[in-house]
Amino acid sequence: DAITTRNGKQVVYVVENNKTREVEVITGNELKGQVIVKSGLGGGETLVNNPPQKVVDGTAVKSKSSG
């Protein structure tokens, strides 16, 4: 649920140094309810899940603990 559409492009928001960076992604097929990202991500990034419309490139964020 990290992939969203902005200005007609599929993008995700990567968290770096407590700020978001918008990254365009190319998606492939869906597999078991998950979308395959063919390009745009390397694999170890932290993403904003279900980004609200107010999240844009450079938005300050805090990570939630997963515990």
Side-chain angles (χ1 to χ4, degrees), residues 10-30:
Q10 288 188 302
V11 300
V12 296
Y13 288 93
V14 176
V15 178
E16 294 176 340
N17 301 317
N18 296 322
K19 290 193 175 182
T20 59
R21 181 172 59 88
E22 184 179 285
V23 176
E24 185 174 355
V25 293
I26 306 292
T27 58
N29 296 329
E30 190 173 312

Side-chain angles (χ1 to χ4, degrees), residues 2-6 8-14 22-30 34-43 45 47:
I3 301 171
T4 189
T5 302
R6 302 281 169 93
K9 300 179 201 172
Q10 288 188 302
V11 300
V12 296
Y13 288 93
V14 176
E22 184 179 285
V23 176
E24 185 174 355
V25 293
I26 306 292
T27 58
N29 296 329
E30 190 173 312
Q34 296 187 352
V35 175
I36 308 279
V37 174
K38 294 169 76 173
S39 75
L41 295 175
E45 298 89 345
L47 305 177

